[in-house]
Amino acid sequence: MHEEILTLAETLSGASEDETQTLALFCTAAEALWRRRLRGGVTPEECREAFLCAAALEAAAAMAQSRGGAVHFTAGDVSVTETDGGQTAAALRREAERLMEPYAAGDGFAVLGVRG
């Protein structure tokens, strides 16, 4: 499963060759995260497509976050690229959550009530 997740994450993140090793680590962590989040009795194989996509999205989000708001610049033939890693990462994680909603246990956050 790891190789499939990595392949998807490479596409989603646009990782360069220099970033592949880091992305592979993010994929390992993302796969472990989603395995822990599965509801009791649900296996990754039962929700294979959603699991693969969610883990790849999570890894791509981590890669985007690690890049931060970095600005890439080239002086010869001028090329400037600005990225907003935080917004991209949040959007990717929302999509992963949406895909895994039927299979994952809650993340432990709940609002029980507010007295006003």
Side-chain angles (χ1 to χ4, degrees), residues 20-116:
T20 303
Q21 190 173 16
T22 302
L23 184 61
L25 292 172
F26 285 144
C27 288
T28 299
E31 184 177 356
L33 176 134
W34 282 110
R35 282 183 187 276
R36 284 191 310 273
R37 293 266 323 267
L38 288 173
R39 283 193 201 134
V42 176
T43 66
E45 290 73 23
E46 290 177 76
C47 56
R48 182 176 176 74
E49 291 81 12
F51 186 88
L52 291 172
C53 290
L57 286 162
E58 185 67 38
M63 181 59 76
Q65 195 84 44
S66 75
R67 290 175 179 145
V71 175
H72 172 267
F73 224 101
T74 311
D77 287 10
V78 184
S79 107
V80 178
T81 308
E82 186 174 4
T83 61
D84 185 349
Q87 287 182 356
T88 301
L92 292 168
R93 287 188 174 110
R94 277 193 305 273
E95 184 61 17
E97 289 286 339
R98 188 187 69 73
L99 287 170
M100 291 300 291
E101 188 175 7
Y103 312 105
D107 62 4
F109 178 80
V111 177
L112 300 176
V114 178
R115 292 184 182 181

